Amino acid sequence: MRAAAFLAAAASTAALVVVPEFNDTAPHWTDTDGNRIEAHAAGMLQSPLDGRWYWYGESKKTNDLSTHGVSCYSADTVAGPWTNHGLVLTQQQIVGTGQPGPFVVERPKVLFNNATQKFVMWFHLDDANYKYRRAGVAVSAAPAAAFEYVHALQPDGIPSLDMSLFLDPLDGQAYFIRSCDNKYAGISRLAPDFLNTTGVISTHPVFEGMALFRLPNGTFYIITSHLTGWNPNPLMLFRAAGKTLDDPQWVSLGNPTGDGTSFNSQPTYVVRYTPKDASVAPYFIYMADNWVHAGPDGLIDAGYIWLPFNFHDDGVTVSLEKRTGWDINNPFGAL
């Protein structure tokens, strides 16, 4: 299994297997060159231009911020194999901030703007002491090309830390969600060009590592975590009783893993995946980081935990089961 690392392809069944890195006994995920994938706090996008999946993430978690940027990988499926496109945003591109740098660059997320035909990246931009508290914005005409840095801002005039983006699959509206000065979480709509926000529309008691998603029936969900630094904690899953994110009326569904450390994971993104086999229904994938328990050296060995959300027949229960491997074309079946 170590040779296969991330993707295990079984010729007899054409299985595409994701092997989560729950602890330091799991193999590290590797790209098509055999190198470790370094794309943490991921944002995932299926490009409407070519149908490929693009995985954006923080580069290797070294102690030297000057080496930090945003990595990009691409593949035909979320199970890979993943091609490394290098850094699409570097420290040298972040200019005009009034700060000396180098900067903390975290949680990059990318959306495609149909109106401008641009790929728009947002990321948490900070100083080494986490006092700058901005979001950074960059754009590109191609998903794997270098992004052009646009600006840093405190969205809606509020200091911003952990953050994410969400593109509503039903109406095409884009949203920004973030920890507001680590005092509460706020949701804002993005402007039509996705380069700014247009005002806070709803708030929630503080959390981080947030990932919004919406079912085809219109129900909103958010998976998130407590604030415990790099250490894992019990996940929090909420379902909206309201019809919009202006008044979501979040209802707590508890910790879908049932595990005190959520299998050593913290959420970063959720994607809806449609298997190539039309007989298998689309489903949602929980994408998370194992920050300090994926190798003997802690953060520098950070790994990835991806699992399928299981929406149970009772219409209420949603769970994430710990599985050492699962097939993206048969996510709840036996291997």
Side-chain angles (χ1 to χ4, degrees), residues 237-285:
L237 178 66
F238 298 91
R239 181 182 64 236
K243 301 298 184 182
T244 72
L245 292 177
D246 297 81
D247 182 28
Q249 302 173 43
W250 296 113
V251 176
S252 175
L253 301 182
N255 177 2
T257 70
D259 179 72
T261 64
S262 307
F263 313 140
N264 290 330
S265 74
Q266 184 187 38
T268 182
Y269 215 56
V270 173
V271 299
R272 186 172 187 258
Y273 188 74
T274 301
K276 295 185 183 298
D277 183 349
S279 67
V280 181
Y283 61 95
F284 290 86
I285 302 174

Side-chain angles (χ1 to χ4, degrees), residues 162-211:
D162 252 31
M163 50 126 299
S164 190
L165 297 180
F166 169 64
L167 185 66
D168 193 323
L170 301 190
D171 64 13
Q173 177 63 53
Y175 296 87
F176 175 70
I177 180 170
R178 76 292 203 179
S179 174
C180 296
D181 213 23
N182 278 350
K183 296 176 180 176
Y184 60 93
I187 299 176
S188 302
R189 289 184 180 85
L190 292 186
D193 60 8
F194 295 0
L195 301 183
N196 210 328
T197 52
T198 62
V200 175
I201 60 173
S202 61
T203 63
H204 189 278
V206 66
F207 48 56
E208 67 177 17
M210 59 286 286

Side-chain angles (χ1 to χ4, degrees), residues 14 35 52 94 108 112 119 205 254 288 299 304 317 332:
N35 298 315
R52 284 179 68 81
I94 303 172
F112 180 73
F119 294 86
L299 187 60
Y304 314 100
T317 306
F332 304 107

Side-chain angles (χ1 to χ4, degrees), residues 148-159:
E148 178 184 354
Y149 177 76
V150 177
H151 56 206
L153 71 161
Q154 291 189 330
D156 308 312
I158 305 167

Side-chain angles (χ1 to χ4, degrees), residues 317-330:
T317 306
V318 184
S319 62
L320 292 165
E321 285 86 29
K322 188 175 186 179
R323 307 176 66 185
T324 56
W326 57 278
D327 182 357
I328 66 165
N329 290 316
N330 186 20

